[in-house]
Amino acid sequence: MDLFTSPSVTPSPTAQADRLLVRLSGYPRKHNEGRVELFHKGEWGTICDDDFSIKNANVLCRQLGFVEATGWTHSAKYGKGQGKIWLDNVNCNGGEKSVENCQSRGWGNSDCTHDEDAGVVCKDERIPGFVDSNAQVDETKIEAVRLRPVVSTAKRKRPVTEGVVEVRYKDGWAQVCDVGWTVKNTRVVCGMLGFPHERKVNKNFYKLYLERQKSFYYVHSVACTGTEVHLAACPLEFNKPNSTFSCGGSAAVVSCMPGPLFMQNTGNVRLKGGARVGEGRVEVLKGSEWGTVCDDRWNLQSASVVCRELGFGCAKEALTGARMGQGMGPIYMNEVKCVGTEKSIWNCPFKNITSEDCQHLEDAAVRCNVPYLGLENSIRIVGGRSGYEGRVEVQVGSKWGTVCSAGWTTKEAMVVCRQLGLGYSMHAVTETWYWDSSNVTEMVLSGVKCTGSEMSLSQCQHHKIVSCQRAAAKFAAGVICSETASDLALNASLVQQTEDCLSKSASQANWPYGHRRLLRFSSQINNIGRADFRPKAGRHSWVWHACHGHYHSMDIFTHYDLLNSNGTKVAEGHKASFCLEDTDCQEGVSKRYECANFGDQGITVGCWDLYRHDIDCQWIDITDVKPGNYILQIVINPNHEVAESDFSNNAMKCNCKYDGHRIWLHNCHTGDAFSDEAEKKFEKYPGQTSNKIS
């Protein structure tokens, strides 16, 4: 039995000689996507994802009768194939008639495993006149699974955690026979639906109900091992057309244990940089410092262990290549090889990292299955040029209306974009007259104030009674969302190494109280996200800075503060306006932004902007500060004027010991780099690194 491809029919020698046969396989997928399989020497096999590209995908999609490719996948996204890995390091120029005409290592010559099987996503448009399609259609496959609750109160509740297992069949839903059903099958179903654990179900409760119901059993039997990420990956037996199958039992019923949906981390694992709940860069805690996981051999089984550990279901995707942005700290793990039953990623075999093994460009990430809550049904955006922008409209009771834009910021917009599944917030819009295409004019929500981490706007603070000074529809709140965002983070070690001195301009200045004592430092601001960081203000509003000889595009970009042990500010730095440019970049990344000659401003992904300690205004005046222990704090993009994928790493702190003549800086770190326990001990240890002051 072929479980998730069409029946294995061996093509005739004539057909094989005429052209290479290609098929799409795997799960879960639509008809125009899947794992690529090739028929060679009488055997089906796969292609390794090493050096795979959109050009390769275009060639393969045309072979399958589609006009072009819209994407490709790696790391066995559609499940691991079996048998041979026929091709590796495939390099097409895009114009070949067949993938066998592209450069590669040759048939059967590969150093890959099926964890690296490549897939393609083809545009759902057929080549005109393409008759002899290679795309083999599999009628017996499972794409969607749901739990159908039987109690009337449970039908209205979200998420649905218990009910009859049903699979999509034609235009409706069909049941699964429960003869031979095991807890391992239940585990797979629960994982698919976003739940970390299964629980025992009371079959007697369902017995009478199921006896009264007429069931159509599309699936006769299921035999999961418990580590699969989709029911379609399990050995299945399907109902054949016109068969007289009798189940001998009843419909399978499952009960799942939901995890805490707002769990940020479980002590030693967390997700960072994702736009949606249950997705992000995988970070693990070792000692007192967070670090990342390298993506070598990263697969769905290992990703699923992380997801379940965090209270979600199994993994929907195991992402490689820093798809959720790059981390900044150490890289702790490489070649993680989980079976899928482990309680924690730390229980899985892995290799320790050497500096030659991995870079943060290879940080692993996950997208987990999360329970369906239906939150997107009570909010919409209308009038925009695309589905990613528009005026926000919410449903309160049975009424749809607009949201007051007073106090509307990036944080509120972030929640809207998350609730709609549209990624990150790029802009919080407070005037939406140009999106006036809706009949909705009444304002139904005001005083909205979010932390930015909520799953829906209804979870944020808001007025009990609507009160808005500018209640006209043209002043309603709006958003512009994006699938990618920048992420700024300071290089903490550079601040700690800085040799501080009094600036030349400050020493020559005619201070009213004589010379001032200034703490100076360098700062390097890295963009580790997935989109360029661009100033919010347009060029027309940039301000010429005569001292620096260029325009400044951001009014307030950085705060420098000196805090005492209870967090009270004892001295603050100059809240200077800034010019943003690429001072330098990672290898292979080109500079795009510069301050000189009224150039475009911003920070490219993979680049950084360096502010040396001898630049004017890069200081904190500590003339009136008494000797003692303090915290130096630097915060970039403090007002969240420009959207980022993660604001928790925008602050950097250092322990600071001052004896009246010298300052020692140590333990410099970004705001989220330490464990909670280490952060609490932060003020207790005097430093080792000596930094001069004037």
Side-chain angles (χ1 to χ4, degrees), residues 189-465:
V189 171
C190 290
M192 282 181 66
L193 298 174
F195 303 111
H197 307 293
E198 65 286 347
R199 56 188 171 194
K200 198 169 182 181
V201 69
N202 183 354
K203 284 298 296 270
N204 292 330
F205 175 79
Y206 287 90
K207 188 175 180 184
L208 187 61
Y209 169 82
L210 291 171
E211 284 173 354
R212 294 175 180 169
Q213 299 294 311
K214 186 178 179 183
S215 296
F216 170 70
Y217 297 106
Y218 177 51
V219 181
H220 290 185
S221 72
V222 182
C224 302
T225 65
T227 61
E228 297 88 350
V229 297
H230 197 280
L231 202 61
C234 303
L236 306 170
E237 286 186 16
F238 292 91
N239 191 1
K240 295 179 176 61
N242 306 318
S243 75
T244 55
F245 170 77
S246 175
C247 173
S250 61
V253 177
V254 155
S255 182
C256 304
M257 178 84 73
L261 290 175
F262 295 100
M263 192 185 295
Q264 294 300 309
N265 64 72
T266 57
N268 58 12
V269 181
R270 68 183 183 186
L271 301 181
K272 299 289 287 183
R276 302 167 182 85
V277 172
E279 70 174 28
R281 179 177 62 253
V282 177
E283 296 195 352
V284 293
L285 185 65
K286 185 177 182 182
S288 61
E289 189 172 3
W290 289 95
T292 61
V293 176
C294 188
D295 63 10
D296 292 349
R297 306 296 184 202
W298 184 246
N299 63 18
L300 285 165
Q301 273 63 44
S302 298
S304 291
V305 170
V306 170
C307 289
R308 289 184 188 269
E309 186 176 356
L310 290 169
F312 304 110
C314 58
K316 190 162 32 176
E317 289 183 74
L319 301 168
T320 60
R323 287 275 302 282
M324 291 289 172
Q326 299 177 43
M328 283 286 284
I331 304 171
Y332 287 134
M333 294 180 168
N334 189 18
E335 296 193 25
V336 180
K337 295 177 182 175
C338 301
V339 175
T341 55
E342 296 88 348
K343 298 292 185 189
S344 170
I345 188 174
W346 286 104
N347 301 139
C348 303
F350 66 88
K351 287 185 179 178
N352 290 316
I353 292 291
T354 63
S355 56
E356 295 81 28
D357 285 336
C358 288
Q359 298 176 322
H360 282 296
L361 288 166
E362 302 166 85
D363 282 344
V366 296
R367 281 200 180 100
C368 304
N369 284 310
V370 298
Y372 176 69
L373 298 172
L375 298 174
E376 73 279 9
N377 298 328
S378 58
I379 192 168
R380 63 193 181 197
I381 52 175
V382 298
R385 296 161 297 180
S386 74
Y388 282 81
E389 66 177 33
R391 176 182 297 164
V392 178
E393 294 182 355
V394 296
Q395 188 177 25
V396 177
S398 59
K399 186 188 297 182
W400 284 90
T402 60
V403 179
C404 179
S405 64
W408 187 254
T409 70
T410 301
K411 290 182 178 180
E412 287 72 44
M414 283 168 66
V415 175
V416 170
C417 295
R418 180 181 300 119
Q419 187 174 352
L420 289 165
L422 296 178
Y424 308 94
S425 154
M426 291 307 292
H427 293 292
V429 183
T430 54
E431 289 190 24
T432 53
W433 50 268
Y434 42 83
W435 287 334
D436 192 13
S437 66
S438 172
N439 296 325
V440 174
T441 56
E442 186 178 351
M443 197 160 278
V444 295
L445 201 61
S446 66
V448 180
K449 190 174 179 60
C450 305
T451 65
S453 62
E454 295 89 350
M455 292 173 64
S456 73
L457 217 54
S458 63
Q459 294 171 354
C460 302
Q461 295 179 21
H462 56 84
H463 292 156
K464 289 184 178 178
I465 301 172

